[in-house]
């Protein structure tokens, strides 16, 4: 199936944007700089589902991606178990790494994610 879909940045971007709008009802503008957690508010299972839906047609390997670096998980996000991190976020400090549409495009073009 990966051979059927072009790996150009534009076709990958169209797939990512289409997937996010269709699967997660995101209406905010989605450009290359859009961050999946901070701008589009994807965390936990939603973020994992988004990465899975994005990677499937291309066969991209995201097995090295540790989603906890990019967004809170469902438990921490819903029940406030990580008080220090939540307090820092509340104060405006970014405690998660940036995960942008551009970084996903790059991973799809490369065929895998490098979490280094």
């Amino acid at each position: 199936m990966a051979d059927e879909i072009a790996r150009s940045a534009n076709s990958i971007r169209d797939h990512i944007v289409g997937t996010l709008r269709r699967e997660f009802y995101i209406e905010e503008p989605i450009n290359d700089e859009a961050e999946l957690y901070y701008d589009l508010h994807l965390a936990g299972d939603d973020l994992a589902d988004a990465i899975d839906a994005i990677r499937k047609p291309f066969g991209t390997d995201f097995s090295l991606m540790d989603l906890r670096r990019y967004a809170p998980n469902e438990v921490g996000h819903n029940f406030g178990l990580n008080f220090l991190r939540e307090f820092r976020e509340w104060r405006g400090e970014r405690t998660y790494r940036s995960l942008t549409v551009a970084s996903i495009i790059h991973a799809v073009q490369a065929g895998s994610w490098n979490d280094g």
Side-chain angles (χ1 to χ4, degrees), residues 31-45:
N31 57 32
D32 285 6
E33 293 79 32
E35 295 186 62
L36 275 65
Y37 173 59
Y38 287 109
D39 296 328
L40 305 179
H41 313 292
L42 292 174
D45 289 342

Side-chain angles (χ1 to χ4, degrees), residues 62-83:
F62 281 95
S63 64
L64 295 178
M65 178 182 262
D66 182 357
L67 290 178
R68 296 172 299 177
R69 293 179 175 189
Y70 302 98
N73 62 27
E74 296 291 325
V75 174
H77 185 65
N78 290 334
F79 299 107
L81 297 178
N82 191 343
F83 295 116

Side-chain angles (χ1 to χ4, degrees), residues 1-7 57-59:
M1 188 169 182
D3 294 335
E4 298 172 16
I5 298 176
R7 288 184 184 259
F58 301 100

Side-chain angles (χ1 to χ4, degrees), residues 1 6-7 10 17 24-25 27 29-30 35 37 41 64 69 80 95 98 101 106 108 114:
M1 188 169 182
R7 288 184 184 259
N10 286 334
V17 171
F24 302 97
Y25 309 105
E27 296 178 6
I30 302 174
E35 295 186 62
Y37 173 59
H41 313 292
L64 295 178
R69 293 179 175 189
T95 62
S98 177
V101 169
H106 178 73
V108 170
N114 181 353

